């Protein structure tokens, strides 16, 4: 794929951190190269959970070698504990990419969900979230 760009997308979370890799050329449909979830046990120590998220993201960076990383921006929620975990996982993803010199872009949830031409309007279940 000449001129193709590979992007690692991260939907940050402390218990479940969604990751996926797409590749493509501007103006053409993207190709999904991988999708997964980095999981941490809710009852584990915070430090252990952050290390597990870091190790999972590092593994994705090693395996897929993206040129860019897109992280879903933390949006305001009423549950402060959830916001904190999401923000911490987001910071880990940004740190992992930045340490390697990979540019990072932050996107709001609404902006990062793109419709599939075959499926119509995006839903949370049908979204490519980066």
């Amino acid at each position: 794929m000449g001129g193709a760009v590979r992007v690692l997308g991260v939907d940050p979370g402390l218990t479940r951190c969604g990751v996926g890799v797409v590749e493509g050329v501007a103006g053409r449909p993207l190709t999904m190269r991988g999708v997964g979830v980095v999981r941490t046990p809710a009852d584990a120590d915070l430090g252990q959970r952050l290390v597990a998220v870091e190790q999972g993201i590092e593994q994705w960076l090693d395996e897929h070698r993206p040129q860019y990383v897109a992280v879903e921006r933390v949006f305001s929620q009423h549950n402060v504990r959830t916001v904190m975990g999401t923000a911490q996982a987001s910071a880990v993803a940004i740190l992992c990419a930045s340490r390697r010199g990979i540019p990072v872009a932050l996107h709001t949830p609404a902006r990062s969900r793109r419709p599939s031409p075959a499926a119509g309007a995006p839903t949370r279940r049908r979204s490519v979230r980066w």
Side-chain angles (χ1 to χ4, degrees):
M1 235 190 214
V5 175
R6 188 171 286 197
V7 179
L8 172 69
V10 180
D11 181 1
L14 198 50
T15 303
R16 291 177 306 278
C17 183
V19 289
V21 177
V22 294
E23 186 174 63
V25 177
R28 304 242 174 151
L30 299 175
T31 301
M32 178 69 71
R33 296 293 181 199
V35 64
V37 178
V38 176
R39 297 179 188 275
T40 70
D43 60 348
D45 175 69
L46 174 62
Q48 293 172 335
R49 295 176 79 187
L50 293 172
V51 168
V53 170
E54 182 214 15
Q55 290 171 340
I57 291 172
E58 289 289 350
Q59 184 176 3
W60 277 81
L61 291 170
D62 287 342
E63 183 177 339
H64 295 281
R65 306 250 181 244
Q67 291 130 312
Y68 300 94
V69 172
V71 179
E72 186 173 290
R73 192 181 299 265
V74 178
F75 62 96
S76 179
Q77 297 174 341
H78 297 292
N79 186 339
V80 174
R81 189 172 177 184
T82 300
V83 170
M84 287 298 296
T86 302
Q88 290 162 335
S90 179
V92 168
I94 294 166
L95 173 70
C96 290
S98 296
R99 187 177 350 186
R100 293 172 181 238
I102 302 171
V104 177
L106 299 175
H107 299 282
T108 61
R111 182 163 182 233
S112 60
R113 291 194 181 112
R114 297 289 182 227
S116 164
T123 64
R124 185 167 181 88
R125 194 174 174 99
R126 271 193 300 213
S127 297
V128 175
R129 302 183 66 177
W130 45 84

